[in-house]
Amino acid sequence: MLKNLSFSVLLMTVPAAASAAGCRLALVLAMDVSSSVDAEEDRLQRGGLASALLSEPVRTAFFSSDLPVALAVYEWSGRYNQHIILDWRMIDSPSALREASETIAYSKRSYNDFPTAMGYGLGFGAALLERGPECLYATLDMAGDGQNNEGFGPQLAYTEFPFGDVTVNGLVVNAAEFEAEVELVDYYQNQVLHGPGAFLIIANGFRDYERAMRIKLERELTPPAIGQLRKPEFAG
């Protein structure tokens, strides 16, 4: 019942994506805009993602193969509070990458007073991938600073939505007091990471978001790393 109702609703909320051929990776980035993320923290993560995309290592990784990468970005929080920031864009040139970065940098937060409905956020990402271009691989990134606290969690999302060929990586935004967030790291490692080669990167606060995102993107985009079968892992 959950699958029939929730997935059909999510599909209706995702704009149709442009078709594409010869794509090596469909990459979806999901940003947490739940109530635990204040305005300054949102500015840091939005600007951090935009800057990370234009960093030299990430640019090199984007264009390290003749096959391009398709990129989409959305923000998530409550059950029905997801919003696409960047609809599917084929990153096939430096100008396409720059335009994607600018779209993210100038975007405005859509929601700021809702809980962390991670299962619904993942379901939205699955629907977005379903309508995306056909690529050799598909990756969804869940970035966040808290555990699911509304509705169903990640494990149920993975059984109810089409995640069979999707790798889900994580970016945990740790609190300033690292010890206080050990449970969040464990939660992501045991509940959120999904699929072959899934891994976790830790940002020590939102001021560290750009560095963590840069490391994660470089690893995801470098062709030899795509599709390798490894156990889920995490790194700082």
Side-chain angles (χ1 to χ4, degrees), residues 6-7 9-15 17 26-31 70-88 117-133 137-143 152 157-158 160-169 194:
S6 298
F7 190 56
V9 170
L10 289 168
L11 281 174
M12 288 189 294
T13 67
V14 179
L27 178 60
V28 175
L29 307 176
M31 291 197 308
L71 180 66
V73 182
Y74 70 98
E75 54 188 35
W76 62 278
S77 55
R79 293 179 183 229
Y80 309 112
N81 308 112
Q82 302 92 26
H83 175 74
I84 292 178
I85 296 172
L86 177 75
D87 206 351
W88 285 111
M118 191 174 290
Y120 283 86
L122 284 165
F124 186 87
L128 185 56
L129 282 165
E130 281 282 284
R131 295 204 173 193
Y137 302 99
T139 295
L140 170 61
D141 282 80
M142 290 297 287
F152 57 92
Y158 293 143
E160 297 294 327
F161 298 101
F163 277 98
D165 298 319
V166 178
T167 295
V168 179
N169 296 326
H194 172 81

Side-chain angles (χ1 to χ4, degrees), residues 43-65:
R43 184 189 68 79
L44 288 168
Q45 72 171 342
R46 211 169 291 262
L49 172 55
S51 296
L53 286 169
L54 295 182
S55 66
E56 185 59 35
V58 174
R59 287 203 310 267
T60 299
F62 262 110
F63 304 115
S64 57
S65 169

Side-chain angles (χ1 to χ4, degrees), residues 84-106:
I84 292 178
I85 296 172
L86 177 75
D87 206 351
W88 285 111
R89 188 79 53 88
M90 195 63 70
I91 308 300
D92 52 8
S93 66
S95 62
L97 181 58
R98 184 175 61 254
E99 290 169 4
S101 173
E102 290 174 352
T103 298
I104 297 164
Y106 291 112

Side-chain angles (χ1 to χ4, degrees), residues 213-226:
M213 180 61 71
R214 185 173 64 247
I215 292 172
K216 184 177 62 60
L217 288 172
E218 183 181 6
R219 180 168 170 178
E220 288 168 334
L221 294 165
T222 302
I226 296 176

